[in-house]
Structures are given as structure tokens and as C-alpha cells.
Amino acid sequence: MNEALGAALQAGDIMCRAEALVPMLRERSVEIDEARALPAEVVDALRNSGAFRMLMPRAWGGPEMTPMAINDVLEVLASGNASAAWCAMIQMDGGLYSGMLDAQVRRELFPSLDLATSNVLRISGYAQVVEGGFIVDGRWAYASGCGHADWFAGAVLLHEGDRDKPLLDAQGRPRHCMLLMAPRSLNRLDTWQTLGLRGTGSHDLEAVQLFVPEAHAFSLDAPGHEGAIYRWPAVLCGKMPGVPLGIARAALQEARAMMSQRQDLPPIWALALAEAHTAYHGARAHVRQSLQAIWDRLQAGETPSTEERVDVFLARSEAFHRARHAVEVLFDALGGGAIYCERSSLERHLRDLNTACQHIMAQRQGQLPAAQLLLGREDAAQFAFL
């Protein structure tokens, strides 16, 4: 454990540290974009803020924060820099994954509460079962923050020698699991050439005949740490809305500052500000309301209802699109002045949101399982992130 932070660091402390980082994150945003990675000093600042430990359990001295509190911190960080917030959003997942590991190795693999865990849930690797572990080959795209991560968790299909003949479970379905791998043991392929979220450094990672010990395997269906938050694996995506909402929040702050300098405020500016303000606050309220409802269920030891699960899923997706709409409205209204990077960050905010909205959990097609579940389709009920 990071002794400098101490075991008593709680949600309020982490929020205060996040707020203190905002000026530095804004100041270094151009550098972050140009480097297509977070500078070491920014990574250290995030680590020292407690951002990577937000899902760590109280039993280990972690804050075990609620979904609402996590989103609040991420929104603050994203108002400083979207790439930094995105990395924090992804890389706190070690707090969840550590509880799914065998109890004998959890603390051995996570000796610090502040380790950064990059991960890809899409099955993009093959793991041959051998004595003591697995021989792994694969290539995982979108490995956010992999350049500074302490661990990488990648999903793999299990087989015994012929990858075209995967091992099957009791229901006859292909068996798969997540494997913790050391990033230095993987090839990092420079693929992250994007318009937005450039600083996340979400390159591809490749494994070639890599041995991974059996103790590094876990399942997202496995029991986790004690505590309500760990009974809801979809918390992996339930914390995503904080990032787009934080970008929209920063855009609104900046647009208001620009508009306040004009004595003769054009009506189109005022209308755009009102529309963007409504979009941001409406999306934020929906996210918080849906998360609170599911959190109340979890704390009571109950299973969230179909409507509550769907509401969280759709509120998350809508947060991305309403945030982008808010920034688009402001960007269009401010005209040519919004395109100059030296004068405004709106152009970067719009690029970041356009890239973020391409995530599968934000795309419109990703809402299909939610709609199917509302219609009583049983197959959708198995969708892991509902």
C-alpha cells in the first residue's frame, strides 16, 4: 500500500485532490495531446490523488466509493483533461478485479491500492491450458493507458492445443476468462492515431507465446470483495458518464467566460448557452438518479429490477450524446473564434467527445440489448453490462 496516502483516504479527500489537479491538467492539455500519452508527472499526480484506488475495498484500507461519488470525481478530472480522466476511469478497475482473484494471491498481485490496471474486455486472445497456467497469444485494441499501467487485464478464449476447438463449459459454451499480464511482457503497437482522447495512449497490446500463471486468471462472474459495489460487475461501465459530463462542464465554463466579455451579446450565443446548459444538467440528473436507484437496491442486498438496469445503461449512453450536443451547440454558436486552439479549448473538447462517443458503450447500437430487455427478450438478460 502507498504509505504516503495512508489507509484513511476517503471519497472527500480524493475529490479535494482531484479539484486541485484541474489547473495543472488544463495547463498541460496541449502537451498531453501532442505526446499521445500522459506525462509521467500527470500519472504520478493521478496516482497520488487516489484516483486509481476509488474501487479498492475498505477491508484493504480503500475508500470503496459509491458509483455516484466515482462519477463526481471523474467529472472533475475531465473538466481538467479528458484523457487523464479516461485513464483514471479505466485504470481503477484493479479494485474490482482484485476481488475476483484467488484469495491467496490478491494482495500479492495488488500490494498497493494505487496500481493502474489497463484492460480490454473484448475476447481478443487465445490461451492454451498448460501445467501451472496458460500459453497466450493475442492482440487487444484500445488498451487505454497501457504505456504507464502496472497491470493489463485481457480477455481470452481457452483451449487445449487447437484454438479452433475451445474448451466448453457445462452448457456447451466456449470457456473464456480474464488474465492479468505485466505490460512489459507484451508488445505495444503504436496504433493510437486519433483525433480525440489522444492522451489516453490506447494502443494495441500483443502477446506472443506468453506464459501466464494460473493464479493470474479470473472471471467477471466470480464473487468479488465484500460490499455492495462488488455485487454489480456493470460498475465497470457505470462510471463512464463522468468523463463526457466533465468535458461538457468545462466547455460550458469556457463558453460562459468568452460570452461574458461581450457587451453586445448576440442572441444566438445566449440561446446556445441555454440549450447546452439544459443538455448537460439533464443528462447529469438522469445519470445520478439511475445510479442512486440501483445503489439503493444493492445496499439493501436486493437484485436491481429490469427497469433500473436499463435506466442506468441508457442514462450512460445518453450522457455521451447529450454532452457532445452541448459542446456542438456552443462551438457552432461561437463561430470562427472557436477553432483557434490558443483562444479556446472547445475544439479539443469536441474532438474528445467525438472519439468517446465511438466507444461501444456509447454508440447507439449498444442500446439494442437494453431495448430488447424492456421487451422481455431473455437473451438480452445475459448481457454483462446491463
Side-chain angles (χ1 to χ4, degrees):
M1 186 178 69
N2 188 332
E3 298 297 337
L5 288 178
L9 192 67
Q10 297 301 316
D13 305 309
I14 295 173
M15 173 60 85
C16 288
R17 294 175 185 226
E19 290 172 340
L21 287 183
V22 171
M24 182 272 285
L25 292 175
R26 288 179 176 173
E27 182 180 338
R28 303 194 69 166
S29 287
V30 173
E31 176 189 354
I32 289 171
D33 264 16
E34 291 177 348
R36 293 186 299 121
L38 299 185
E41 298 85 358
V42 173
V43 175
D44 289 344
L46 288 174
R47 200 184 300 275
N48 291 332
S49 75
F52 296 149
R53 65 162 59 186
M54 288 194 279
L55 275 175
M56 283 293 178
R58 291 193 187 93
W60 288 8
E64 196 174 313
M65 289 166 60
T66 70
M68 297 77 72
I70 291 172
N71 272 279
D72 287 347
V73 170
L74 291 173
E75 182 176 338
V76 167
L77 290 173
S79 73
N81 181 267
S83 291
W86 188 274
C87 285
M89 181 268 294
I90 294 290
Q91 296 189 309
M92 72 177 75
D93 289 342
L96 182 66
Y97 297 155
S98 59
M100 297 171 176
L101 293 162
D102 187 276
Q104 302 301 316
V105 299
R106 291 175 180 176
R107 290 314 307 265
E108 178 184 341
L109 298 182
F110 285 88
S112 167
L113 302 183
D114 302 298
L115 298 185
T117 305
S118 181
N119 59 87
V120 175
L121 302 182
R122 184 192 297 272
I123 300 173
S124 302
Y126 298 89
Q128 179 182 355
V129 180
V130 298
E131 184 177 355
F134 313 89
I135 300 296
V136 181
D137 291 278
R139 178 170 172 172
W140 295 266
Y142 309 111
S144 296
C146 59
H148 63 259
D150 299 292
W151 284 114
F152 171 71
V156 298
L157 202 63
L158 301 178
H159 66 93
E160 286 186 329
D162 185 346
R163 65 173 59 180
D164 293 325
K165 296 180 180 179
L167 295 174
L168 304 179
D169 63 17
Q171 287 73 43
R173 298 171 300 193
R175 289 177 54 193
H176 56 87
C177 70
M178 299 287 289
L179 293 178
L180 276 183
M181 295 168 270
R184 63 180 177 277
S185 68
L186 301 164
N187 299 322
R188 188 165 81 241
L189 308 175
D190 190 349
T191 55
W192 194 243
Q193 306 283 347
T194 59
L195 288 176
L197 294 178
R198 293 171 60 82
T200 63
S202 302
H203 301 289
D204 289 14
L205 289 180
E206 180 185 48
V208 180
Q209 289 290 288
L210 175 67
F211 176 76
V212 179
E214 183 179 0
H216 290 218
F218 64 93
S219 169
L220 293 177
D221 297 325
H225 297 293
E226 294 294 327
I229 191 70
Y230 307 110
R231 294 197 293 270
W232 184 45
V235 69
L236 287 168
C237 296
K239 53 188 169 51
M240 293 180 71
V243 179
L245 290 173
I247 302 172
R249 173 175 169 175
L252 275 164
Q253 291 171 344
E254 184 168 350
R256 288 181 65 178
M258 293 173 67
M259 293 178 186
S260 66
Q261 296 174 7
R262 286 282 298 265
Q263 296 298 321
D264 55 334
L265 184 67
I268 192 173
W269 284 18
L271 290 172
L273 183 62
E275 184 174 348
H277 180 91
T278 302
Y280 161 71
H281 283 282
R284 190 174 191 273
H286 190 190
V287 166
R288 293 190 64 83
Q289 179 185 18
S290 64
L291 288 175
Q292 186 65 60
I294 214 165
W295 180 241
D296 290 344
R297 287 279 193 182
L298 293 169
Q299 282 193 303
E302 300 172 355
T303 300
S305 69
T306 295
E307 288 75 15
E308 287 165 343
R309 292 164 60 203
V310 168
D311 203 27
V312 166
F313 189 95
L314 295 179
R316 174 179 64 235
S317 176
E318 193 65 11
F320 280 84
H321 293 276
R322 296 302 292 169
R324 178 167 63 178
H325 175 72
V327 179
E328 284 178 335
V329 166
L330 295 171
F331 189 82
D332 288 347
L334 289 167
I339 68 174
Y340 294 99
C341 299
E342 296 84 359
R343 304 180 193 172
S344 165
S345 299
L346 289 176
E347 185 265 347
R348 185 180 69 252
H349 296 326
L350 189 54
R351 285 191 289 106
D352 286 339
L353 279 168
N354 276 327
T355 296
C357 283
Q358 296 306 106
H359 192 284
I360 186 60
M361 288 294 112
Q363 290 179 26
R364 292 296 188 192
Q365 64 178 347
Q367 297 178 355
L368 181 59
Q372 289 176 329
L373 193 57
L374 284 176
L375 295 172
R377 304 291 173 87
E378 292 301 322
D379 54 340
Q382 304 303 316
F383 188 64
F385 299 107
L386 266 171

